[in-house]
Amino acid sequence: MELKEIMQLPDIMLKEKTEEYFIKYINYIEGKDKVSSLGVLESFSELADRHAYTYELLDDLLRKRVDNIVQTLWDPTSVELVDLYSSVVVNLNLKDCYELMRSSLTTRLNDDVRKIVEETIDEIGEEIELPYKMN
């Protein structure tokens, strides 16, 4: 399942349908020898945008699976990747990814990356697992 296919999906779908596409996409990337971090994050971002319209969290096991994959894509040296990462983390309420992002503030970061991380933390606060809560 390529990004192009995902982008052609309807903007609004039932929770079960979005979860079906997450599983299909995860199976697709797990079957690949090499994947582009940018491509995976763009695909997850597109799926997350569609899932947001369900106003529900992903199934717990599926959310944990996505959380584990997205964590491996964390690259604080790339503004573009951090921006996409942040969007996916917020839209899918990915706790472990969020903690990884927050912990990066104790390291040396590019100013643009630091700004994205700080804005994300300010937007979400301490409760990443509460859907659709804004500070």
Side-chain angles (χ1 to χ4, degrees):
M1 169 170 252
E2 299 284 336
L3 175 61
K4 183 178 171 182
E5 278 180 78
I6 294 170
M7 292 177 78
Q8 292 175 353
L9 294 173
D11 289 339
I12 299 173
M13 298 186 292
L14 296 173
K15 176 187 178 198
E16 295 76 20
K17 203 66 172 165
T18 64
E19 288 178 343
E20 183 181 307
Y21 281 106
F22 270 103
I23 292 167
K24 187 176 179 182
Y25 182 69
I26 290 168
N27 290 339
Y28 168 77
I29 61 173
E30 286 179 342
K32 294 275 201 186
D33 289 333
K34 187 176 180 182
V35 293
S36 156
S37 295
L38 181 61
V40 171
L41 284 172
E42 286 175 330
S43 296
F44 275 140
S45 179
E46 287 291 328
L47 289 168
D49 287 348
R50 284 155 178 80
H51 185 76
Y53 286 111
T54 70
Y55 299 100
E56 296 182 62
L57 292 173
L58 283 175
D59 169 79
D60 287 341
L61 292 175
L62 180 56
R63 188 161 42 112
K64 184 65 177 166
R65 195 172 172 197
V66 173
D67 203 349
N68 289 335
I69 293 168
V70 173
Q71 279 180 73
T72 67
L73 305 175
W74 175 246
D75 180 359
T77 64
S78 169
V79 174
E80 185 176 22
L81 284 176
V82 170
D83 194 37
L84 274 169
Y85 181 97
S86 171
S87 173
V88 170
V89 168
V90 168
N91 286 330
L92 295 177
N93 304 85
L94 303 178
K95 182 180 179 183
D96 293 337
C97 288
Y98 181 68
E99 292 303 324
L100 178 61
M101 193 169 53
R102 277 180 34 154
S103 71
S104 74
L105 288 175
T106 64
T107 65
R108 191 173 195 173
L109 297 172
N110 161 316
D111 289 342
D112 292 331
V113 168
R114 180 170 295 282
K115 182 179 179 187
I116 293 167
V117 172
E118 288 173 345
E119 286 175 354
T120 301
I121 291 169
D122 186 50
E123 176 183 338
I124 297 303
E126 298 295 319
E127 300 173 30
I128 184 67
E129 291 189 297
L130 290 178
Y132 315 107
K133 174 198 172 288
M134 298 293 179
N135 282 341

